[in-house]
Amino acid sequence: MKIGISTSTFFNTVAAENVFDLLRKMRVDTTEVCLNTFSDYEKPYIDKLASLRGGMNVVAVSPLSTQFEPQLFSPNMRVRADAELLFRKVCYACFAFGAKFYTFRGPINLTDSKDFDYMRLAQRLVQLSDIAASYGVSLSLKNMRWSYAATPEFFKRILDKCPRMFATFDLYQAEVAGYDIREFIDACPPQRINLIEVQDVVKNEWCLPGCGKYRFDKFFADLDRRKMTAPVLIAAQSDSYTDFLQVCDSFEYLVGQYRSISQ
């Protein structure tokens, strides 16, 4: 199992062009590249950024999904077509970075509904998976609290209908939705989970792993029992630290916790 850091951790603190160098200085070799605005999706920018990757293992690429992913499911064909143009640009970014997965969120669930037309959703997700596959990429659905994919049950039902899709599970998003992340993990076959993202919590505030009370030794032991091999990445908010040494220490803490159960 690889331990790493998502570039989302450095949003607003490090220019994207400098992130790979910073990760290498921290002895991190595994990441998820997060793109944040429309100009980030353009090929010249992507090619320039990808040229800085070096030997970094980019597991996945993650766009700012609310900019266009909900529109991929619009009943209006022109709206969908415009959104697909952006979707394809992100798929190309995955290809350019050597990432096999696109961290995908999909529609926004504004009404907190639990009654979905799974067949219709699956049909569209299969179409999008086919587009992604043409770039050598697989969609990996993330358990966002505000999305359709906010419950373990949703993953059970939708992945069964979309055999080429994978799952990305986020500890913070699971907790704020009222679930333990293990409930999501148990809802999917281990080989369908490509990425796990983690944070920590102290005094009801989210923080870097190792700065709170979350039992990562127990978490890694549980993953080991489940035969999990998906990378575990820190995906903390940039206001949860004051300097990069704290981020590096958090990474080393996670590596130590994983080694303690894998020896």
Side-chain angles (χ1 to χ4, degrees):
M1 178 185 292
K2 289 284 190 178
I3 310 297
I5 304 176
S6 170
T7 67
S8 64
T9 302
F10 305 109
F11 180 62
N12 283 339
T13 63
V14 181
E17 293 81 0
N18 299 327
V19 167
F20 292 126
D21 280 343
L22 177 60
L23 290 171
R24 280 187 280 267
K25 288 177 182 177
M26 293 180 177
R27 295 185 295 178
V28 175
D29 63 6
T30 304
T31 192
E32 169 196 48
V33 170
C34 297
L35 306 174
N36 301 301
T37 189
F38 297 103
S39 60
D40 284 3
Y41 310 140
E42 297 303 319
K43 186 176 185 299
Y45 178 81
I46 291 297
D47 289 343
K48 177 184 176 182
L49 202 58
S51 72
L52 304 174
R53 175 173 68 97
M56 188 71 60
N57 174 29
V58 178
V59 177
V61 172
S62 174
L64 187 55
S65 65
T66 52
Q67 292 170 334
F68 68 92
E69 284 184 4
Q71 287 72 36
L72 290 167
F73 298 83
S74 171
N76 185 296
M77 294 303 295
R78 292 183 64 224
V79 172
R80 285 170 60 161
D82 284 350
E84 276 189 22
L85 291 176
L86 292 169
F87 176 80
R88 288 178 180 273
K89 289 179 180 182
V90 178
C91 289
Y92 172 76
C94 294
F95 169 79
F97 283 108
K100 297 299 183 183
F101 298 96
Y102 172 142
T103 304
F104 188 79
R105 283 87 165 176
I108 297 173
N109 187 9
L110 294 176
T111 61
D112 203 26
S113 174
K114 299 295 188 293
D115 184 20
F116 305 118
D117 185 342
Y118 284 94
M119 190 58 66
R120 182 179 176 185
L121 279 170
Q123 288 173 348
R124 182 56 174 154
L125 287 169
V126 167
Q127 290 173 349
L128 295 171
S129 294
D130 288 344
I131 294 173
S134 70
Y135 293 83
V137 176
S138 297
L139 296 187
S140 185
L141 188 64
K142 187 172 180 179
N143 62 311
M144 304 302 291
R145 167 65 184 87
W146 44 258
S147 74
Y148 287 17
T151 68
E153 179 63 22
F154 185 89
F155 281 88
K156 286 181 183 178
R157 298 185 64 174
I158 206 68
L159 292 187
D160 184 59
K161 295 176 173 60
C162 302
R164 296 169 70 175
M165 286 195 69
F166 289 76
T168 293
F169 293 134
D170 184 289
L171 191 155
Y172 169 77
Q173 294 292 334
E175 293 278 345
V176 296
Y179 297 94
D180 188 298
I181 192 172
R182 297 167 184 82
E183 296 179 75
F184 285 93
I185 291 170
D186 289 341
C188 299
Q191 67 274 17
R192 301 283 296 276
I193 302 171
N194 83 287
L195 181 59
I196 297 172
E197 298 186 330
V198 296
Q199 306 83 16
D200 205 339
V201 63
V202 60
K203 296 181 180 178
N204 296 320
E205 295 290 336
W206 290 92
C207 58
L208 288 167
C211 296
K213 61 183 181 181
Y214 196 82
R215 290 287 305 275
F216 283 99
D217 55 343
K218 185 175 184 298
F219 179 65
F220 282 123
D222 288 342
L223 294 184
D224 189 60
R225 282 194 293 271
R226 291 166 169 83
K227 310 296 183 185
M228 288 293 304
T229 59
V232 174
L233 304 186
I234 297 171
Q237 294 182 351
S238 57
D239 61 0
S240 64
Y241 59 88
T242 56
D243 58 61
F244 299 137
L245 180 60
Q246 292 175 336
V247 181
C248 186
D249 287 346
S250 180
F251 167 70
E252 295 291 347
Y253 165 79
L254 277 189
V255 171
Q257 291 294 294
Y258 174 60
R259 286 177 178 166
S260 71
I261 64 93
S262 58
Q263 293 175 346

